[in-house]
Amino acid sequence: KREGDARKGRAVFFGEKAQCSACHTHGLRGGTLGPELTRIGAKYDATGLLTSILEPSASIAFGYECWLVQQKDGSALAGFLLADGPRLVLKDFAGVRHVIDADQVQKRERQATSLMPDTVALGLSADELVDLVAFLRRRPFDELDLGEAIARSAMTLEPWHMEYRVNHPTRGTIWVEGHSMPTLEPDGST
């Protein structure tokens, strides 16, 4: 049993092989189709995270259940049910919201499988899976996210503000608040 490397796990999460960030946000990056995962490590231990990756349909996060809605006009939509009442609001897999009058629904059926493919982990090595879990288990906004946020602020010249944890040599883990307003210097530097 080896400890995972969160830096390598970050590369797996945001990389092309697993494509986790196509659907999931972590920190300030990623897609919005699946659950936001920045603080998922506080909810699940390493075993729970690994199980969720290998068997995503075993436990689908509330609000991310897939629904198939057949309308009386013969058309059908699939997506996440956002509201249920006189009007159904369904967010499709492209992120588009559809409002459907409930009296126009012929049938709706909750799907048993997750939108996340069961095979997502099949292309990853055991080491890559352990690294991915280590990345998801780490505290949010550590030095990796901090460096990325500062670099983005310098590039976009947008204000930067973040609360983050650091491991102080004598005081242990402490919270620090940082902020800056980058400016472009005459020589082109920030």
Side-chain angles (χ1 to χ4, degrees):
K1 181 178 173 178
R2 81 167 183 88
E3 290 292 317
D5 182 331
R7 288 182 189 262
K8 290 180 180 177
R10 175 185 168 89
V12 171
F13 186 88
F14 291 109
E16 292 296 317
K17 191 173 185 181
Q19 297 187 6
C20 305
S21 64
C23 295
H24 298 283
T25 299
H26 194 285
L28 303 173
R29 295 176 49 197
T32 59
L33 187 59
E36 204 280 341
L37 298 179
T38 305
R39 291 177 175 82
I40 196 71
K43 184 176 180 181
Y44 296 107
D45 64 9
T47 301
L49 287 170
L50 186 59
T51 300
S52 294
I53 294 167
L54 295 173
E55 302 172 27
S57 295
S59 178
I60 300 171
F62 178 75
Y64 291 93
E65 305 92 350
C66 297
W67 287 85
L68 179 61
V69 177
Q70 295 177 337
Q71 299 179 74
K72 290 180 179 176
D73 68 3
S75 64
L77 291 168
F80 306 116
L81 194 60
L82 302 179
D84 189 4
R87 290 186 173 172
L88 278 83
V89 180
L90 191 77
K91 181 172 114 177
D92 69 20
F93 304 134
V96 177
R97 292 177 184 226
H98 301 270
V99 179
I100 308 162
D101 288 330
D103 64 355
Q104 295 304 307
V105 174
Q106 180 176 352
K107 179 181 176 186
R108 61 181 169 168
E109 184 177 353
R110 182 174 180 244
Q111 304 300 292
T113 57
S114 170
L115 182 61
M116 181 173 155
D118 287 331
T119 57
V120 72
L122 294 180
L124 299 178
S125 69
D127 285 343
E128 288 170 320
L129 284 168
V130 170
D131 292 339
L132 177 59
V133 168
F135 171 70
L136 295 172
R137 291 271 306 144
R138 72 185 176 91
R139 290 184 212 115
F141 304 121
D142 67 3
E143 68 277 359
L144 297 173
D145 291 327
L146 176 63
E148 183 178 285
I150 291 171
R152 183 176 15 268
S153 175
M155 283 183 8
T156 63
L157 300 178
E158 293 177 355
W160 168 80
H161 177 262
M162 182 178 282
E163 291 183 26
Y164 55 97
R165 299 175 198 186
V166 295
N167 290 319
H168 191 275
T170 58
R171 294 172 44 201
T173 301
I174 61 172
W175 282 95
V176 176
E177 181 176 14
H179 56 88
S180 72
M181 179 62 175
T183 56
L184 188 61
E185 299 295 325
D187 67 356
S189 65
T190 51

